[in-house]
Amino acid sequence: MKSDLLNDREKAAVLWAEHVTRNTARSRDDVFDHVRSIFDEQEIVELTMICGLFNFRNRYMDSLQVPLEPMKEVDKIKTSNRLDTDKLRDYLQFVLDNWPEEFPEPNPDE
């Protein structure tokens, strides 16, 4: 919550997701009031529905022991012992060649 990478709304959304997922209402009763000061009712309902959907999906997949990634992809990561430096150099050159001159300003916190 002290990250400079997230704006106030993003921090509140993360706080709400943690609150919904871990059911912190007994240990912390100020979360709803804080989130309500940043989001309106409709936004809180949408955030809650999204959190519930992902919580349901994660628990469902965990219960059935369904891997999130195909195992052969995970195994490739585990067994990889060599980085192709030519591909890495080409990729970094591509990024540099396509790097924009100017970036748009981020949306300010409301």
Side-chain angles (χ1 to χ4, degrees):
M1 291 299 149
K2 296 178 183 180
S3 171
D4 294 333
L5 301 176
L6 301 176
N7 64 37
D8 291 341
R9 285 177 59 87
E10 292 166 334
K11 289 177 185 178
V14 170
L15 179 65
W16 187 248
E18 181 181 66
H19 180 69
V20 169
T21 302
R22 294 185 176 176
N23 190 16
T24 60
R26 290 187 187 132
S27 62
R28 187 166 177 198
D29 62 359
D30 65 324
V31 174
F32 180 76
D33 292 333
H34 174 70
V35 173
R36 183 69 174 94
S37 71
I38 296 174
F39 293 103
D40 64 29
E41 277 187 38
Q42 183 177 352
E43 290 172 319
I44 292 174
V45 169
E46 289 180 17
L47 284 170
T48 305
M49 290 174 63
I50 290 168
C51 293
L53 173 66
F54 279 97
N55 289 337
F56 164 77
R57 183 182 180 280
N58 288 341
R59 286 180 179 85
Y60 181 81
M61 299 298 267
D62 287 347
S63 297
L64 296 177
Q65 297 181 352
V66 177
L68 297 177
E69 299 284 339
M71 284 311 294
K72 66 180 185 173
E73 294 300 315
V74 175
D75 289 341
K76 279 198 280 188
I77 294 168
K78 289 180 183 176
T79 60
S80 176
N81 59 8
R82 182 174 173 273
L83 176 66
D84 187 339
T85 55
D86 291 333
K87 286 184 179 179
L88 179 60
R89 186 190 65 245
D90 292 344
Y91 170 74
L92 292 173
Q93 188 61 53
F94 172 80
V95 170
L96 289 172
D97 292 344
N98 292 284
W99 197 262
E101 292 294 323
E102 292 183 28
F103 287 93
E105 290 294 318
N107 291 335
D109 289 340
E110 296 179 321

